[in-house]
Amino acid sequence: MRLGDLLVRVKKVTEADVARALERQSLQGGRLGDHLVAMGAIEESALENFIRRIPSEPAKIADTGLDEADLLGLLMKLIYTGRLESNRQFVEAIKLPYVIVLDLVQMAVDRQLLRTLGTHSAGSLVDMRYVLTEEGRRWTIDALERLHYVGPAPVTLEQFTKQVTLQKLTNEIISFERIRESFKDLTFDNSIIEQCGPALNSGRAILLYGPPGNGKSSVAFCLGNVFNDVIYVPYAVSVDGQVIRVHDPSVHFTFGIDAPTDQNASSFLRNEEYDARWVPCRRPFILTGGELTLEMLDLRYDPTGHFYEAPLHLKALGGCFVIDDFGRQLVSPTNLLNRWIVPLESRVDYLKLHTGKTFSVPFEAMILFSTNLDPEDLMDTAFLRRLPYKIEVGAPNLENYRRIFDTECAKRGLTLPDDVFEVIVYQVIQEKGLELAAYHPRFIVDQVMATCRFMGQEPHFEPRFIEYAINNLRVRPGNAAKPAGATHARIA
């Protein structure tokens, strides 16, 4: 973990700024952050605010907030299951600082759970090697039966709550230009951006509604992609002695920061080290659809491993949680909405352990409901009131429809003549009885291209190929006869 890498990833400074600051540091010494400030690459207040949100590592076992017996058990399980031998490997596995690991190892040696084998490097405690004793093996197997969680040391609920509050979405101010940049590959009226901006900056829930095929899911993805700040996600959280696994590589994407080549490199974080129990990630974007059930919003207990998996919305803290195709879930809309009423209003959610203990967590995630059904048929007035931002993603006007077509054609090296475009619009609206939709251009172009390939022809808009594609948009209502010669007459 290096400060310069993080600042570049979140666009606080440039790579050139960091390179110049490192050069100054090599000549003058001192801290990288101070050199960046002296160069004018970043304001001191901005740097301090950035550093303040970085979890600092504990200096001693008591600072972890965890029981030393639990930490010793976790270390022994890591050694047993990972066949670890050296202090260096122990530190990497448990994600605790070297001084704490030395204390735990000494406890294990004193209890005759570990036996020293020596070191390859004279005088180097980092590479000191150990092996489990017979007593240590029996003790560890017993610990595994009680709790099968094997991974980095968890953080406490209090530490987790504090960190989530520090990195909530509203810490980032989103501008019109940033949303426009995120939407650059889509064709939408600026009115959509003007409505999305205040919603994003509020951090409140958003309802996206409108007919299918016009980009509600794409809008949701772009809104989630607007944020570029770094957040810190714990591998796991300890609550009342129970372990909840939070970090999920499938939704928590790291910044891909390389470790320093110098293993003894000094810390960037002033006089403190970064707490490796937290993973620096992009703000998560989690999308769920018709498969969502109420059970997926509760802690999932593993009766074999005796630990928990965090629910989706807990993993989404600090980011966006999208409920796509709202109203088509296995659970009824009313029951699903009732589950969200308290968290949306109070910004606090309540979860329950299998032991019966209930605890609260901050609900600092942006919830986006996306539906092609009538919102007033899905929810009552009380819940609509709790969704302060309702954004309609409707059908494109004719100008935007043409722009989408031109974009899709350009990707495939095609040209769309005006008369062909007019025929397509006529067939879609008059013959098929459809409204224009944003998905039509790609659908039609893809199908025309596929037919041309099958026929062994160069890609082009053949009249009958267009007809085949448009027929696949929708079956003709009531098998009504198509006006003879209409397509050929208008294209010719």
Side-chain angles (χ1 to χ4, degrees):
M1 284 297 308
R2 293 176 291 197
L3 177 62
D5 291 321
L6 280 176
L7 289 172
V8 169
R9 294 306 192 279
V10 299
K11 301 179 181 179
K12 299 288 186 183
V13 299
T14 66
E15 291 185 4
D17 292 331
V18 173
R20 287 168 50 211
L22 287 172
E23 184 177 353
R24 284 173 54 107
Q25 186 183 39
S26 66
L27 297 173
Q28 304 173 22
R31 297 182 290 256
L32 176 64
D34 292 338
H35 288 291
L36 288 168
V37 171
M39 290 164 41
I42 186 172
E43 294 289 336
E44 185 174 5
S45 59
L47 177 64
E48 291 293 343
N49 183 59
F50 185 82
I51 290 178
R52 183 174 60 87
R53 293 191 290 112
I54 300 176
S56 57
E57 73 176 16
K60 52 186 184 296
I61 291 178
D63 294 340
T64 67
L66 304 172
D67 186 83
E68 65 177 26
D70 291 338
L71 287 177
L72 177 61
L74 178 58
L75 178 61
M76 295 297 294
K77 288 185 287 185
L78 288 166
I79 294 172
Y80 177 77
T81 58
R83 298 179 182 273
L84 308 181
E85 291 186 344
S86 69
N87 284 326
R88 190 186 301 276
Q89 292 175 326
F90 301 165
V91 170
E92 176 59 29
I94 202 168
K95 304 297 183 186
L96 287 172
Y98 178 64
V99 292
I100 291 181
V101 171
L102 278 186
D103 288 343
L104 294 173
V105 169
Q106 188 59 52
M107 289 169 54
V109 171
D110 292 344
R111 298 184 185 189
Q112 298 184 346
L113 304 178
L114 289 177
R115 178 166 55 86
T116 305
L117 291 179
T119 177
H120 294 302
S121 305
S124 174
L125 289 178
V126 174
D127 293 312
M128 182 68 72
R129 295 165 56 242
Y130 300 86
V131 66
L132 287 167
T133 64
E134 285 301 318
E135 173 61 22
R137 186 172 286 103
R138 287 192 295 270
W139 190 91
T140 304
I141 291 173
D142 182 60
L144 277 168
E145 290 177 353
R146 293 194 304 271
L147 176 61
H148 201 72
Y149 172 78
V150 179
V155 302
T156 66
L157 178 61
E158 181 182 2
Q159 293 164 344
F160 178 66
T161 299
K162 178 182 177 182
Q163 188 64 36
V164 170
T165 303
L166 284 174
Q167 58 197 25
K168 54 189 178 182
L169 276 164
T170 50
N171 288 343
E172 283 194 69
I173 303 301
I174 306 302
S175 65
F176 183 96
E177 290 72 24
R178 282 177 66 174
I179 303 179
R180 179 73 270 176
E181 174 65 19
S182 183
F183 276 62
K184 65 182 179 181
D185 295 328
L186 302 177
T187 302
F188 283 105
D189 290 331
N190 284 339
S191 61
I192 295 290
I193 299 177
E194 292 170 356
Q195 294 177 76
C196 289
L200 289 176
N201 286 325
S202 75
R204 302 291 299 279
I206 300 174
L207 172 66
L208 301 174
Y209 67 99
N214 286 302
K216 292 183 294 297
S217 297
S218 297
V219 168
F221 179 80
C222 288
L223 294 181
N225 201 41
V226 164
F227 301 95
N228 57 31
D229 206 357
V230 61
I231 68 168
Y232 300 87
V233 178
Y235 286 100
V237 177
S238 176
V239 181
D240 202 31
Q242 305 292 313
V243 175
I244 303 169
R245 192 165 57 186
V246 177
H247 180 256
D248 184 344
S250 67
V251 299
H252 296 128
F253 300 109
T254 66
F255 281 87
I257 298 168
D258 297 329
T261 54
D262 179 5
Q263 292 171 346
N264 295 316
S266 60
S267 166
F268 66 75
L269 218 174
R270 301 303 161 111
N271 296 319
E272 300 178 43
E273 289 281 355
Y274 158 77
D275 189 345
R277 294 178 296 167
W278 301 82
V279 185
C281 301
R282 303 179 187 278
R283 292 192 181 276
F285 177 88
I286 298 179
L287 185 146
T288 182
E291 74 280 5
L292 181 65
T293 63
L294 287 179
E295 289 73 20
M296 294 170 65
L297 301 178
D298 292 326
L299 292 170
R300 182 164 58 85
Y301 180 65
D302 183 342
T304 303
H306 305 296
F307 63 90
Y308 298 82
E309 186 74 23
L312 288 176
H313 66 290
L314 193 67
K315 295 180 180 181
L317 292 181
C320 298
F321 185 60
V322 181
I323 302 175
D324 205 12
D325 289 327
F326 178 60
R328 302 185 187 278
Q329 281 71 30
L330 297 174
V331 59
S332 73
T334 299
N335 289 338
L336 186 58
L337 292 173
N338 286 337
R339 173 65 178 82
W340 291 108
I341 282 181
V342 172
L344 289 178
E345 192 75 13
S346 65
R347 313 301 295 174
V348 173
D349 192 24
Y350 294 90
L351 299 173
K352 188 175 183 179
L353 300 173
H354 79 287
T355 59
K357 179 182 176 62
T358 299
F359 63 96
S360 64
V361 291
F363 193 71
E364 294 296 342
M366 177 172 291
I367 308 299
L368 291 94
F369 296 91
S370 174
T371 183
N372 53 37
L373 304 175
D374 188 341
E376 294 189 354
D377 291 340
L378 296 174
M379 58 190 84
D380 59 24
T381 305
F383 199 86
L384 278 171
R385 179 177 60 82
R386 289 176 169 83
L387 296 177
Y389 294 96
K390 308 167 187 66
I391 302 172
E392 182 178 11
V393 184
N397 57 33
L398 193 60
E399 179 184 355
N400 283 339
Y401 195 67
R402 177 62 194 252
R403 288 173 60 193
I404 299 172
F405 248 117
D406 289 341
T407 299
E408 295 300 326
C409 289
K411 291 177 182 177
R412 296 161 178 79
L414 287 172
T415 300
L416 180 64
D418 290 341
D419 58 341
V420 175
F421 176 71
E422 291 174 2
V423 168
I424 292 173
V425 172
Y426 175 83
Q427 288 185 318
V428 169
I429 296 177
Q430 300 299 327
E431 296 182 8
K432 286 296 180 184
L434 296 171
E435 287 188 359
L436 300 181
Y439 81 95
H440 290 169
R442 177 179 294 182
F443 182 92
I444 293 171
V445 170
D446 283 347
Q447 296 230 346
V448 168
M449 291 285 291
T451 307
C452 288
R453 284 195 301 270
F454 175 74
M455 299 298 291
Q457 300 179 15
E458 290 295 319
H460 68 292
F461 285 103
E462 178 76 23
R464 68 181 189 279
F465 296 171
I466 295 173
E467 183 178 348
Y468 299 155
I470 294 177
N471 283 340
N472 285 332
L473 285 174
R474 178 185 181 186
V475 295
R476 193 174 298 114
N479 294 320
K482 174 180 164 296
T487 300
H488 295 268
R490 292 180 62 83
I491 293 181

